[in-house]
Amino acid sequence: MSIREDIIKDIVLKLEDINSVKMGSVTREPMFRDQDEFYKLARTNFPHVIVTAGNESRNDLTMGGSSIIREGLMTVEIRAFVKSDDKARDESINNLIEAIEEKLDADRTRGGKAKNTQVREVVMGDNLEHPYGTFTLNVEVQYIFRRGVT
């Protein structure tokens, strides 16, 4: 398995383990075909969090010999859909953002697979019908990997 895949799986496992906020589902794929269908999800699926690997820039750190050491800077997109209960929608969103960031900051090395993990951007989603809300966290993960025979 690739280091890139290991990192994504670690993020999913860590988000599933959040207990400071009642979590619904954390998946690699959405549980609906298009954004309008998320309204049909059961209450127990909220917040519904989708983790996807995004764009990545790569640099050679060493060249020559039988292997090349490279560095990757991958953007991981964490998209969340919330359904607030007794709290205001913004409060539910803010609590979930904080819980995700705290969980990711607890091990920035993703179990030794990465050099660093950092939430770089919080993007608020479209205004949805109350009590629903959405946001995206763009997380940068810096890691080292080898290519070629070692």
Side-chain angles (χ1 to χ4, degrees):
M1 187 177 323
S2 74
I3 293 174
R4 180 180 165 100
E5 183 63 19
D6 288 344
I7 289 168
I8 299 298
K9 284 185 176 185
D10 178 77
I11 290 172
V12 169
L13 288 172
K14 295 304 188 283
L15 297 185
E16 288 174 337
D17 193 42
I18 289 174
N19 55 23
S20 59
V21 171
K22 184 176 180 195
M23 294 299 289
S25 56
V26 180
T27 67
R28 300 282 302 273
E29 300 291 332
M31 296 176 74
F32 46 86
R33 285 186 290 264
D34 60 47
Q35 186 166 325
D36 292 333
E37 285 191 358
F38 83 90
Y39 291 108
K40 298 176 185 174
L41 290 177
R43 179 175 292 280
T44 56
N45 285 318
F46 287 99
H48 179 56
V49 179
I50 306 162
V51 179
T52 55
N55 295 332
E56 181 173 334
S57 60
R58 295 180 169 190
N59 295 320
D60 289 341
L61 297 179
T62 65
M63 291 179 41
S66 60
S67 70
I68 300 170
I69 299 175
R70 303 195 81 200
E71 178 179 61
L73 184 61
M74 170 177 49
T75 300
V76 177
E77 184 177 278
I78 299 173
R79 186 152 190 221
F81 294 87
V82 300
K83 183 176 184 179
S84 58
D85 290 326
D86 55 345
K87 300 178 191 169
R89 177 177 43 198
D90 286 348
E91 185 178 348
S92 296
I93 287 171
N94 291 334
N95 289 339
L96 183 56
I97 289 169
E98 183 175 345
I100 290 171
E101 191 162 15
E102 283 179 0
K103 189 56 96 167
L104 294 178
D105 282 348
D107 177 15
R108 287 184 166 213
T109 70
R110 312 277 44 96
K113 301 284 184 178
K115 288 175 65 177
N116 192 29
T117 303
Q118 188 173 8
V119 174
R120 285 297 205 182
E121 184 177 36
V122 178
V123 180
M124 300 311 293
D126 298 331
N127 284 330
L128 301 174
E129 178 182 317
H130 187 76
Y132 298 96
T134 183
F135 66 88
T136 302
L137 294 178
N138 291 312
V139 179
E140 283 187 354
V141 181
Q142 181 182 17
Y143 69 102
I144 304 292
F145 61 100
R146 293 183 184 273
R147 285 292 171 253
V149 180
T150 57

